[in-house]
C-alpha cells in the first residue's frame, strides 16, 4: 500500500502548492490556473477516497464551468494591468498574518482532539466494490435527499434571476 | 490506505490558505476564489469522512455544495461586474461605501 501513500502526498502537495500560489501570484489569470491545478489534485484525492462520481463532477463542474466563468469575467474586465496598491486597508498586514496563523492553530487543535477522541488513526477498511458509483449516489439523491435536491433547483433559479438583474445595465445609463 | 487524520490536516491547511487569501488579498476576484477554495476544503473533509464511515451521504452533500458554489459564483461575479462598472477597479480597499 506504498503507492497509495505516494499518490496522497503528491496530490496533497500539489493541492496546497496551487492554493498558496493562487493567493500570492499577481496576475489574476495565473491565479485561476493555479486554482484549477489545486482542484485537479483534490479530484485525485476524491478518487482515492472512492468518490469516483463526485471527483469527475469536481473536474467537470468546477474546473470546467465555474472557473471558466471566472476567466471570462477577468478577461471581460481586462484586469491584467491593474495594480492592487494604494487604497486604505482597514487591517494592518501583521494583523492579517496573525489571524491566519490563529486559524491554523485552532484547526489543528480541533482535529487533534477529535482524532484522539474518535481514534481516527486506525487505517480505513476496504470499501465495497460499488462505493461512490453513479448509481449509488443517484439512488440516495432521489430517495433520501429528494427534497434538498429539489430545493437546489429553486436556488439555481433564484441565482440566475439575481445574476441577470444585477448584471443588467440600467436604462438611463446607456451610451 | 492513508489514515483519515492526513486528510483532516490537508483539509484544514487548504481551509486556512483560503481564509488567508480572503484576509490578505486585495483583488476581489482572488478573494472570491479563496472562498471557493474554503468550500472545497469542506468538501474534501465530507468525502474523507464518508469513506471512513462507509456511508455515501457525504457524496450527496458535496453534490449540493457544488450547486451552491455555482449559484454563488454566478451572483458574486455579477456583483463584481457591477462594482467594476461603477468604480473602474476591483481593489477591495477602494470600496468604502459603508464607511462614514
Amino acid at each position: 500500500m506504498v503507492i497509495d501513500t505516494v499518490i496522497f502526498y503528491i496530490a496533497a502537495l500539489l493541492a496546497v502548492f496551487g492554493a498558496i500560489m493562487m493567493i500570492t501570484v499577481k496576475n489574476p489569470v495565473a491565479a485561476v490556473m493555479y486554482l484549477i491545478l489545486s482542484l485537479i489534485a483534490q479530484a485525485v484525492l476524491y478518487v482515492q477516497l472512492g468518490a469516483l462520481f463526485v471527483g469527475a463532477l469536481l473536474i467537470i463542474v468546477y474546473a470546467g464551468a465555474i472557473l471558466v466563468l471566472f476567466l471570462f469575467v477577468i478577461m471581460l474586465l481586462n484586469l491584467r494591468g491593474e495594480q492592487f496598491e494604494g487604497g486604505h486597508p482597514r487591517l494592518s498586514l501583521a494583523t492579517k498574518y496573525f489571524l491566519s496563523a490563529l486559524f491554523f492553530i485552532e484547526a489543528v487543535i480541533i482535529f487533534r482532539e477529535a482524532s484522539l477522541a474518535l481514534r481516527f488513526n486506525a487505517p480505513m477498511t476496504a470499501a465495497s466494490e460499488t462505493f461512490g458509483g453513479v448509481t449509488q449516489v443517484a439512488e440516495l439523491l432521489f430517495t433520501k435527499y429528494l427534497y434538498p435536491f429539489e430545493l437546489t433547483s429553486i436556488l439555481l433559479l433564484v441565482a440566475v434571476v439575481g445574476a441577470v438583474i444585477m448584471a443588467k445595465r440600467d436604462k438611463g445609463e446607456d451610451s | 490506505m492513508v489514515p483519515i487524520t492526513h486528510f483532516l490536516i490537508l483539509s484544514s491547511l487548504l481551509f486556512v490558505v483560503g481564509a488567508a487569501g480572503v484576509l490578505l488579498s486585495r483583488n476581489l476576484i482572488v478573494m472570491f476564489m479563496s472562498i471557493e477554495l474554503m468550500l472545497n476544503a469542506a468538501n474534501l473533509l465530507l468525502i474523507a469522512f464518508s469513506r471512513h464511515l462507509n456511508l455515501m451521504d457525504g457524496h450527496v452533500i458535496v453534490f449540493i455544495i457544488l450547486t451552491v458554489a455555482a449559484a454563488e459564483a454566478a451572483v458574486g461575479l455579477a456583483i463584481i461586474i457591477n462594482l467594476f462598472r461603477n468604480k473602474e477597479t476591483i481593489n477591495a480597499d477602494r470600496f468604502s461605501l459603508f464607511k462614514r
Side-chain angles (χ1 to χ4, degrees):
Chain A
M1 283 296 137
V2 178
I3 187 92
D4 253 0
T5 318
V6 172
I7 290 174
F8 171 81
Y9 278 113
I10 292 174
L13 267 178
L14 275 180
V16 175
F17 169 76
I20 290 175
M21 288 306 283
M22 179 196 82
I23 66 169
T24 50
V25 81
K26 290 261 184 272
N27 185 349
V29 177
V32 173
M33 289 305 168
Y34 278 118
L35 185 56
I36 290 177
L37 172 73
S38 179
L39 285 177
I40 288 172
Q42 286 177 45
V44 170
L45 293 173
Y46 281 24
V47 171
Q48 197 184 20
L49 286 166
L52 301 176
F53 174 58
V54 183
L57 213 61
L58 189 80
I59 290 185
I60 296 170
V61 173
Y62 240 108
I66 296 182
L67 290 180
V68 171
L69 191 66
F70 275 92
L71 269 184
F72 270 148
V73 170
I74 289 170
M75 290 175 175
L76 192 71
L77 303 185
N78 199 10
L79 296 173
R80 301 195 59 165
E82 191 176 355
Q83 297 296 312
F84 289 97
E85 308 299 328
H88 305 284
R90 298 294 116 72
L91 289 171
S92 73
L93 207 60
T95 320
K96 290 170 176 174
Y97 280 121
F98 175 72
L99 283 177
S100 308
L102 208 64
F103 266 131
F104 182 66
I105 294 168
E106 272 177 14
V108 166
I109 290 173
I110 289 169
F111 286 140
R112 209 181 70 96
E113 294 297 315
S115 64
L116 286 181
L118 296 173
R119 307 207 182 289
F120 284 145
N121 270 317
M124 282 188 255
T125 49
S128 59
E129 277 292 300
T130 56
F131 184 83
V134 183
T135 321
Q136 283 72 35
V137 175
E139 209 176 300
L140 267 180
L141 198 61
F142 288 113
T143 53
K144 193 175 172 187
Y145 292 97
L146 182 63
Y147 290 117
F149 177 67
E150 298 292 347
L151 283 174
T152 55
S153 64
I154 297 178
L155 175 76
L156 282 176
L157 180 70
V158 172
V160 167
V161 173
V164 167
I165 286 178
M166 264 183 293
K168 194 178 68 175
R169 241 176 232 278
D170 288 335
K171 270 186 184 162
E173 62 174 285
D174 284 345
S175 56
Chain B
M1 208 53 211
V2 186
I4 195 174
T5 333
H6 289 40
F7 286 98
L8 300 188
I9 291 170
L10 171 64
S11 158
S12 64
L13 255 178
L14 286 175
F15 189 89
V16 169
V17 172
V22 173
L23 284 173
L24 296 172
S25 175
R26 286 171 174 175
N27 187 338
L28 273 179
I29 286 187
V30 173
M31 287 168 90
F32 202 54
M33 286 196 293
S34 302
I35 295 173
E36 305 276 331
L37 187 68
M38 284 153 79
L39 278 175
N40 268 303
N43 279 351
L44 183 64
L45 202 60
L46 278 168
I47 296 279
F49 270 106
S50 120
R51 174 73 176 74
H52 185 255
L53 302 172
N54 246 323
L55 287 170
M56 299 238 319
D57 298 42
H59 295 194
V60 178
I61 299 173
V62 169
F63 184 88
I64 291 172
I65 290 178
L66 282 182
T67 321
V68 172
E72 180 215 332
V75 175
L77 288 174
I79 291 175
I80 288 177
I81 288 180
N82 246 348
L83 285 175
F84 186 81
R85 200 177 276 159
N86 286 331
K87 286 236 182 180
E88 297 284 314
T89 179
I90 55 162
N91 185 343
D93 286 336
R94 296 215 186 265
F95 294 103
S96 51
L97 299 174
F98 288 154
K99 196 182 175 193
R100 284 190 298 135

